[in-house]
Amino acid sequence: MTEQTHTGDVRELADVPAVEVISRAAVMLMSSAAEKLGLSSPDPDESDHLDLDEARRVITALAGLVTASAEYLGPHAGPIREGLQALQRAFREASAHPDEPGNGPGEKYTGPVY
């Protein structure tokens, strides 16, 4: 499998370090969750992309990835974990009836987020 880089060169996926693959996957999940929380809109509550059910799924997947790969992420682990927690808090704020701490998206992997 190959990957197109910004410069147009083709890079073999086998040559991409695992930490980069995991980090890119985390960033994609974070971006998707932010969109589904409406965070790209000036008024998230009015966003055409707001979908809390979808956001819950993506945040939970992100939490599982971050938890399972934290030991491999080195210095990237902290910022990715902080991004995840920010999304978990944004989800809670966007919910009309917020989940109890520990029951929010991904919190079975990360522990309660307040």
Side-chain angles (χ1 to χ4, degrees):
M1 182 172 229
T2 59
E3 167 191 35
Q4 190 78 23
T5 64
H6 296 299
T7 61
D9 296 330
V10 175
R11 203 168 130 185
E12 291 295 322
L13 192 54
D15 296 333
V16 180
V19 67
E20 187 175 334
V21 173
I22 295 166
S23 296
R24 286 184 182 194
V27 168
M28 180 177 281
L29 290 167
M30 283 184 199
S31 297
S32 176
E35 286 288 335
K36 293 176 186 320
L37 289 170
L39 299 178
S40 63
S41 298
D43 183 358
D45 293 331
E46 299 299 320
S47 172
D48 292 338
H49 304 290
L50 182 63
D51 187 334
L52 294 181
D53 188 48
E54 286 285 303
R56 177 184 295 279
R57 294 173 189 187
V58 176
I59 293 168
T60 299
L62 174 62
L65 175 64
V66 170
T67 300
S69 60
E71 67 182 289
Y72 308 117
L73 293 174
H76 303 284
I80 292 172
R81 193 175 299 116
E82 289 169 13
L84 167 59
Q85 290 172 350
L87 290 166
Q88 289 172 310
R89 284 190 295 276
F91 183 92
R92 187 175 309 284
E93 291 171 14
S95 299
H97 303 286
D99 298 315
E100 291 293 321
N103 292 325
E107 291 183 14
K108 68 181 177 182
Y109 302 113
T110 64
V113 175
Y114 300 94

